[in-house]
Amino acid sequence: MSDIIYPLSGKRVWVAGHSGMVGAAVVHQLQEIDCEVVTSSHAELDLARQTDVEAWMADTKPNAIIMAAARVGGIHANNTLPVDFLIDNIQIETNVFTSAHAVGVERMLFLGSSCIYPRLTAQPMREESLLTGPLEPTNQWYALAKIAGVKMAQAYRRQYGRDYISCMPTNLYGPGDSFDLQLSHVLSALIVKAHQAKEVGAGSFEIWGTGKSTREFLYVDD
């Protein structure tokens, strides 16, 4: 198992999901480092197709992977497309993890989500709270898939000594975010609703929820 610090200089780093908000921000940061950034569009590589991922990985042979690829969306999308959020994300994660192991990827960083923690967990959330209570029902499908990814990283580390790790970003916003009210997360949805209200001169707009929830937001480039 390698040291905690993994120098990226001179490495070939695949940013899976580079066209998304998080992936694009990661690519931007990596451009400041002396490493080769590798990307693949959906047209070039469908991460849900196992044989395609295996072939692409065998040909590309990245040294490291930053796993930002996922089917993502807000409350409405999660609540109405549970199969898509569960199956698509598990397929993507499984294909990338198995192929990374097959070609000997040195390190992989899997990006999870704060929604993997129980709905009523103590605040601030701690790692030990994982799997100690029921998930938020509206996005449990996405959360379960992300939990599977976290456990895949742990399983490969335990069984094969692979240097696969995970981190859990909080609610992110910034350039590249979705402003589609059917798919967006809370902060971008609030921006859209406020803008629309201003455009028509409305004195108010609807906000979902009771107003009692506490949310934490992080600008994606940070």
Side-chain angles (χ1 to χ4, degrees):
M1 193 175 297
S2 67
D3 296 332
I4 294 176
I5 297 176
Y6 179 81
L8 292 176
S9 179
K11 302 290 187 178
R12 176 176 290 184
V13 184
W14 176 32
V15 180
H18 75 284
S19 61
M21 177 177 63
V22 179
V26 170
V27 169
H28 178 72
Q29 294 294 323
L30 289 177
Q31 288 172 343
E32 305 297 321
I33 302 174
D34 181 25
C35 67
E36 179 186 354
V37 179
V38 179
T39 61
S40 57
S41 68
H42 181 75
E44 297 170 324
L45 176 62
D46 183 351
L47 295 179
R49 297 179 63 87
Q50 183 178 359
T51 55
D52 292 357
V53 178
E54 290 175 349
W56 187 90
M57 196 90 76
D59 182 61
T60 308
K61 293 183 173 62
N63 301 114
I65 299 173
I66 297 178
M67 182 59 179
R71 173 181 281 273
V72 299
I75 292 175
H76 179 76
N78 274 269
N79 210 25
T80 56
L81 301 171
V83 173
D84 295 7
F85 278 86
L86 179 63
I87 301 300
D88 287 0
N89 282 305
I90 288 178
Q91 286 180 329
I92 290 169
E93 294 161 7
T94 302
N95 294 342
V96 173
F97 270 100
T98 56
S99 299
H101 173 62
V103 303
V105 169
E106 297 168 359
R107 171 169 283 199
M108 177 157 58
L109 171 62
F110 175 77
L111 298 180
S113 169
S114 57
C115 73
I116 70 175
Y117 292 101
R119 179 173 180 267
L120 299 177
T121 189
Q123 299 294 325
M125 292 185 292
R126 300 176 59 86
E127 291 184 30
E128 294 80 6
S129 298
L130 186 64
L131 297 176
T132 60
L135 299 167
E136 164 57 42
T138 56
N139 61 10
Q140 61 181 312
W141 324 104
Y142 179 71
L144 284 167
K146 283 295 185 178
I147 291 170
V150 172
K151 290 301 179 180
M152 284 184 206
Q154 294 176 352
Y156 272 102
R157 176 178 286 272
R158 175 177 294 186
Q159 185 169 342
Y160 296 108
R162 288 295 184 193
D163 195 4
Y164 298 163
I165 58 178
S166 303
C167 73
M168 308 305 124
T170 188
N171 296 272
L172 300 174
Y173 71 97
D177 205 349
S178 171
F179 292 93
D180 181 340
L181 288 178
Q182 301 300 312
L183 301 173
S184 60
H185 291 92
V186 58
L187 198 143
S188 54
L190 290 175
I191 292 173
V192 171
K193 289 180 176 182
H195 176 71
Q196 291 177 343
K198 181 179 180 180
E199 288 288 291
V200 299
S204 64
F205 60 90
E206 181 185 41
I207 298 177
W208 291 354
T210 63
K212 297 179 180 179
S213 300
T214 300
R215 302 294 292 268
E216 181 181 11
F217 300 101
L218 181 67
Y219 185 64
V220 69
D221 282 332
D222 294 334

